[in-house]
Amino acid sequence: MNSRRKRKYSTGAAVCSIILVFLSFGAGRLHAQEIIIPLVTENNALVLEAGKAKELSIIYFGKKLANAQEYQLVPSAYRQTSDYSGLLNAAYTPSGSRNLMEPAITVTHADGHQSLDLRYVRHEQQQLDHDVTLLNITLKDPVYDFEVVLHYKAYVKQDVIEQWSVIRHGEKGNVTLHKYASANLYLKAGGFWLQQYHGDWAKEMRPEESKITHGIKTLDSKLGTRANIFQPSVFMISLNAPASEDEGTVLYGALSYSGNFRTDIELDYQDNLRIISGINNYASPYTLKPREAFTTPSFLYILSQKGKGYASRQLHDWARNYRILNGKGERLTLLNNWEATYFDFNENKLKALLRDTKKLGVDLFLLDDGWFANKYPRNNDNAGLGDWQENKTKLPNGIASLVKEAAANGVKFGIWVEPEMVNPKSELYEKHPDWVVKEPAREEHYFRNQLVLDLANPAVQDFVFRTMDDLFTRNPGLAYIKWDCNAVIYNAYSAHLGNHQNHFYIEYMRGLYRVLERIRAKYPDVPMMLCSGGGGRVDYEALKYFTEFWPSDNTDPLERIFMQWEYSYFYPAVATANHVTDWGKQPVKFRTDVAMMGKLGFDIVVAHLAEKDLAYCRNAIREYHSFKHIVWQGDQYRLADPRKDEIASIAYISKDRSEGVIFNYLTSNRYGAGSSRPIRLKGLDPAAMYQLEEISLYPGTTSPTDADRPYSGEFLMTVGFNPEVSGSRTSVVLRLQKK
């Protein structure tokens, strides 16, 4: 904080000049022309100040203080070097005036000038419900008719803040936005550590942790679609020291946006941290017309003083209650045909698989890629994408006959689509080459033999909506959609946008969200899986429209333990679709146990299962239905880290602490590897007595666990319990119940 900005406090007559404006979770107060605006959640406080010059700054973000009046004392506790600009801790940093650091917003005014100065005008706070409050702060340039409204939506019980900005102007001509962030945070600590993620196809969510040094670290994507494949938009920042599962202060950040994103993390010369996140402005200067409102996506963040585990449980609660479609509801177990048939199937094969679906005991059969196109039949990934008519050779009686066959077998029917994409070898491409994203003068370059349709074009939006609507209209019994998105954008150009190509990446995402809004308006309850060649598009804006997401095409259960561990920091198990497949060398029990840590599915040839394997799967599915509510809606605790130990252990405990399920896996093939020490449980009632029973047992095996022995919660959390994981017991699932 700027050391020259000291305050004088007095009593008596001076107190009469204080104007108190009471907010729902704190007070905004005017003192000596300084306005303090605290935004308070269950455990934290984000405190903003409009100083004498009405420049809005962040003076505190940390643990909530019992005495709210002491927030205004925070700046005087620091003795750091001078803030020459007075803008280091700006709540939304403008460029071109006095700012010396990375800006949150950069503009060119209608008169060609590039300076921007944002001053506080007013704020208001609304109580949206018992646990949700919305703070709106209006900033204006004193010279130009230019305004930014900062929106802070606080979910009090979960400590989650959702922040976005709305930008508009009344200048005599268009203004160009060169950067337009959603949020601008400012943190003080004795050091900062970043945990970020990277990956590729089948290698999603690989973590890297490093100490943040001076300068800017940028996390970003320029892929247009499938934006998270190389660099996910979620991250963690630990304060003072790297946070552990149960100790330390850590901030989680996540941009709710499915397109190009950018997060700038800058350690300034005062050793404080600035975080600026929003849409990536790469190739996207935006021409803002007078009175037009530009609304940014929301940036989500949560601060925990109790380590990473607490932050993730808070975020899970928020997601289930406020964001994921039907986050508190049911999910369908399923059998997918992809790895059983790939593109090689016909009606008879599928009817046999439908009978297998019933035999296996799952809820739904999912027909994957390859069911469509006639002139250029979809027999491989080179042709047919975009021609969404049933293939008459494979399905002479159409999808409707399969929906009826599914109903006759007592199961539901779902289908795969990839409506944003097109193969050059397709009727759609021949009829509408202007609907395709491509530079007209350049050679086409393909990702998985396909190109992207131009969703910036309203005609294409209508086509994608009609594709989905026609499927439901012709097949009203359709019960599930797997929505895929495999291509990234090369040679970005929209024939529809003409001379406004700088708007393309933004308009594409607006078009996608318009389509999804139309689908959900007409079909609000149909479950849909968000798939993007794996986890290439998962984010909390997309999950407004989807019930679940596909973490990775890599379904090797050993790999999935590591992936699901990292995903679980940001997304709850109810949103994670996990399938049992033939990937990996582990037995079917190991594969099924891993898949049960989320929404269970199968992608196997049921007819090829050995008798005991089939018997195991059928029983495991029945057991899964008995505890899935704990996995989906309970609190998750990570007990043994596979990156540090020879085993992985993850527990899901019910909110009332009366029951739980603990998954334990061998993750090392070293000689003698296993659970040499007991695993300490978490989240139990220390005074209660519990029993542990091993479930998901393979036929013919017995468990060393004594299901009748009682344990106190205190014992299980202090000493622990050994699941006896070893080379002969590679996967152990325990059911915990309060006596």
Side-chain angles (χ1 to χ4, degrees):
M1 196 64 191
N2 191 340
S3 59
R4 62 183 172 81
R5 296 180 62 193
K6 297 180 180 178
R7 297 168 181 77
K8 295 182 179 179
Y9 304 99
S10 58
T11 57
V15 175
C16 298
S17 66
I18 300 175
I19 302 174
L20 295 177
V21 182
F22 288 100
L23 305 178
S24 302
F25 301 98
R29 57 177 58 84
L30 181 65
H31 181 220
Q33 298 182 329
E34 294 167 349
I35 301 171
I36 306 296
I37 310 169
L39 183 67
V40 181
T41 63
E42 186 84 6
N43 295 293
N44 301 320
L46 174 66
V47 184
L48 303 109
E49 177 193 74
K52 295 178 182 179
K54 298 299 184 289
E55 289 169 331
L56 187 69
S57 59
I58 298 172
I59 62 169
Y60 182 76
F61 187 26
K63 185 178 180 180
K64 181 173 64 176
L65 301 180
N67 183 355
Q69 293 182 351
E70 291 188 314
Y71 291 129
Q72 58 192 325
L73 303 178
V74 171
S76 63
Y78 289 86
R79 294 294 183 270
Q80 296 177 308
T81 58
S82 294
D83 175 0
Y84 306 105
S85 65
L87 294 173
L88 283 180
N89 63 340
Y92 198 72
T93 311
S95 69
S97 54
R98 305 189 321 273
N99 176 48
L100 301 174
M101 311 302 286
E102 182 65 26
I105 182 169
T106 305
V107 308
T108 299
H109 295 285
D111 63 5
H113 288 220
Q114 295 182 313
S115 69
L116 184 63
D117 191 5
L118 295 174
R119 305 296 176 102
Y120 168 88
V121 176
R122 61 181 175 275
H123 73 275
E124 60 181 1
Q125 191 154 339
Q126 303 167 266
Q127 190 74 35
L128 302 184
D129 66 31
H130 178 69
D131 284 320
V132 184
T133 182
L134 177 62
L135 170 65
N136 304 319
I137 304 177
T138 300
L139 309 175
K140 282 188 175 181
D141 190 304
V143 174
Y144 290 92
D145 189 358
F146 189 97
E147 173 185 284
V148 177
V149 181
L150 303 180
H151 299 269
Y152 300 82
K153 194 173 187 179
Y155 300 85
V156 177
K157 187 175 181 180
Q158 292 82 18
D159 290 319
V160 171
I161 298 177
E162 182 179 11
Q163 185 178 345
W164 69 97
S165 58
V166 178
I167 305 165
R168 59 172 62 87
H169 73 93
E171 299 183 26
K172 296 178 180 178
N174 296 332
V175 168
T176 302
L177 304 181
H178 300 285
K179 191 173 183 183
Y180 28 83
S182 300
N184 187 161
L185 296 182
Y186 184 74
L187 301 172
K188 288 177 175 286
F192 303 92
W193 282 259
L194 169 68
Q195 181 159 313
Q196 64 184 98
Y197 295 89
H198 70 100
D200 197 348
W201 179 82
K203 300 177 182 179
E204 288 86 349
M205 288 298 285
R206 298 197 169 188
E208 294 177 320
E209 187 169 49
S210 59
K211 183 173 174 55
I212 298 174
T213 57
H214 292 88
I216 298 178
K217 172 77 172 184
T218 297
L219 311 178
D220 76 334
S221 174
K222 304 178 182 71
L223 303 179
T225 63
R226 202 178 172 185
N228 286 325
I229 183 172
F230 302 140
Q231 175 80 73
S233 54
V234 295
F235 62 92
M236 307 178 196
I237 292 178
S238 298
L239 283 67
N240 298 310
S244 66
E245 194 68 25
D246 301 307
E247 295 180 336
T249 301
V250 61
L251 174 84
Y252 282 22
L255 187 69
S256 299
Y257 191 63
S258 309
N260 294 344
F261 62 84
R262 173 176 171 177
T263 298
D264 295 314
I265 301 167
E266 182 175 26
L267 188 65
D268 67 24
Y269 63 89
Q270 286 189 335
D271 302 325
N272 302 321
L273 195 69
R274 309 172 71 253
I275 303 171
I276 296 172
S277 187
I279 296 174
N280 197 333
N281 54 338
Y282 161 75
S284 299
Y286 189 87
T287 304
L288 188 67
K289 299 176 182 177
R291 307 304 171 190
E292 177 188 358
F294 184 94
T295 302
T296 70
S298 63
F299 178 63
L300 297 166
Y301 50 98
I302 176 171
L303 186 67
S304 163
Q305 286 87 26
K306 303 175 187 177
K308 298 177 180 178
Y310 181 78
S312 68
R313 290 186 289 277
Q314 290 286 84
L315 192 56
H316 293 174
D317 278 350
W318 170 84
R320 289 185 293 244
N321 282 289
Y322 296 104
R323 184 52 53 90
I324 296 170
L325 186 67
N326 197 23
K328 303 286 283 185
E330 277 293 314
R331 298 292 187 270
L332 298 169
T333 56
L334 59 83
L335 175 65
N336 192 359
N337 74 298
W338 179 245
E339 294 197 18
T341 67
Y342 294 99
F343 294 101
D344 183 19
F345 58 81
N346 56 35
E347 191 172 285
N348 289 332
K349 275 189 179 181
L350 295 179
K351 287 184 176 180
L353 290 173
L354 281 165
R355 292 190 291 272
D356 286 342
T357 306
K358 177 67 172 178
K359 184 179 180 181
L360 184 62
V362 293
D363 303 316
L364 176 137
F365 175 76
L366 172 61
L367 175 58
D368 215 291
D369 196 357
W371 58 267
F372 51 91
N374 290 290
K375 182 177 179 180
Y376 303 104
R378 183 72 168 174
N379 295 325
N380 52 52
D381 64 12
N382 291 309
L385 196 60
D387 300 341
W388 299 105
Q389 307 83 31
E390 293 99 328
N391 181 275
K392 295 176 182 177
T393 301
K394 294 180 181 180
L395 304 175
N397 297 303
I399 296 296
S401 67
L402 296 174
V403 176
K404 291 178 182 177
E405 184 73 14
N409 280 277
V411 297
K412 299 178 184 294
F413 187 87
I415 201 164
W416 176 97
V417 293
E418 192 176 4
E420 299 168 66
M421 308 299 166
V422 63
N423 284 129
K425 193 175 181 180
S426 67
E427 290 186 87
L428 181 65
Y429 185 91
E430 291 177 344
K431 293 176 182 177
H432 298 286
D434 58 319
W435 283 9
V436 178
V437 177
K438 60 175 185 174
E439 280 280 359
R442 298 193 184 278
E443 182 180 357
E444 292 176 357
H445 190 69
Y446 307 129
F447 198 107
R448 202 185 180 230
N449 304 305
Q450 61 196 53
L451 294 167
V452 179
L453 290 175
D454 180 14
L455 279 175
N457 185 339
V460 176
Q461 297 169 29
D462 291 341
F463 167 78
V464 174
F465 173 77
R466 285 197 308 271
T467 295
M468 303 301 297
D469 191 36
D470 289 349
L471 274 173
F472 286 113
T473 301
R474 296 196 309 270
N475 310 287
L478 198 60
Y480 186 88
I481 295 293
K482 178 181 177 182
W483 182 301
D484 216 340
C485 169
N486 283 298
V488 300
I489 292 176
Y490 294 123
N491 295 321
Y493 179 87
S494 166
H496 171 73
L497 291 176
N499 294 328
H500 298 285
Q501 298 303 315
N502 48 320
H503 288 194
F504 168 72
Y505 286 114
I506 293 171
E507 293 298 341
Y508 181 92
M509 293 313 307
R510 287 175 173 174
L512 173 63
Y513 291 144
R514 287 189 193 105
V515 170
L516 291 170
E517 286 165 5
R518 290 172 67 183
I519 292 170
R520 281 308 178 195
K522 191 168 184 180
Y523 305 101
D525 301 319
V526 176
M528 293 204 307
M529 179 202 291
L530 173 64
C531 182
S532 190
R537 184 185 264 173
V538 59
D539 65 85
Y540 274 120
E541 186 65 22
L543 286 173
K544 286 181 179 178
Y545 309 103
F546 293 85
T547 49
E548 58 223 52
F549 73 94
W550 183 237
S552 177
D553 284 345
N554 185 343
T555 52
D556 181 315
L558 186 59
E559 296 280 355
R560 275 298 189 103
I561 289 170
F562 290 85
M563 290 181 189
Q564 290 168 210
W565 181 282
E566 300 301 336
Y567 273 118
S568 75
Y569 283 114
F570 300 95
Y571 304 103
V574 71
T576 308
N578 305 325
H579 290 183
V580 179
T581 75
D582 290 330
W583 279 49
K585 300 177 181 179
Q586 293 78 14
V588 70
K589 170 178 161 50
F590 192 104
R591 289 180 269 147
T592 304
D593 288 347
V594 173
M596 287 195 292
M597 295 192 302
K599 201 221 75 168
L600 176 64
F602 289 79
D603 200 337
I604 56 177
V605 183
V606 176
H608 293 177
L609 288 175
E611 182 180 351
K612 284 189 175 181
D613 284 355
L614 178 59
Y616 164 77
C617 289
R618 288 170 57 87
N619 185 64
I621 292 166
R622 286 191 291 269
E623 288 185 321
Y624 174 75
H625 284 300
S626 75
F627 65 72
K628 64 185 182 183
H629 63 286
I630 308 173
V631 175
W632 294 351
Q633 304 299 334
D635 288 329
Q636 181 182 5
Y637 294 89
R638 300 170 200 85
L639 308 178
D641 188 341
R643 298 185 190 278
K644 299 177 181 178
D645 299 301
E646 296 176 338
I647 65 170
S649 184
I650 302 98
Y652 299 87
I653 307 298
S654 64
K655 292 291 185 182
D656 63 3
R657 302 190 289 178
S658 67
E659 56 181 342
V661 58
I662 304 110
F663 297 89
N664 309 274
Y665 310 100
L666 183 68
T667 56
S668 170
N669 61 2
R670 297 294 300 273
Y671 177 78
S675 54
S676 58
R677 298 181 300 276
I679 295 171
R680 286 183 290 180
L681 274 61
K682 302 173 185 177
L684 307 183
D685 179 352
M689 299 302 294
Y690 294 91
Q691 289 177 311
L692 287 164
E693 177 188 9
E694 185 171 353
I695 60 174
S696 189
L697 287 168
Y698 192 80
T701 62
T702 58
S703 172
T705 301
D706 184 352
D708 295 323
R709 176 177 293 173
Y711 299 90
S712 69
E714 180 187 33
F715 179 89
L716 291 173
M717 292 190 293
T718 304
V719 178
F721 178 85
N722 196 319
E724 299 189 39
V725 175
S726 65
S728 60
R729 283 170 51 81
T730 58
S731 176
V732 178
V733 182
L734 300 170
R735 183 73 186 264
L736 174 85
Q737 290 187 307
K738 190 175 181 180
K739 290 188 65 178

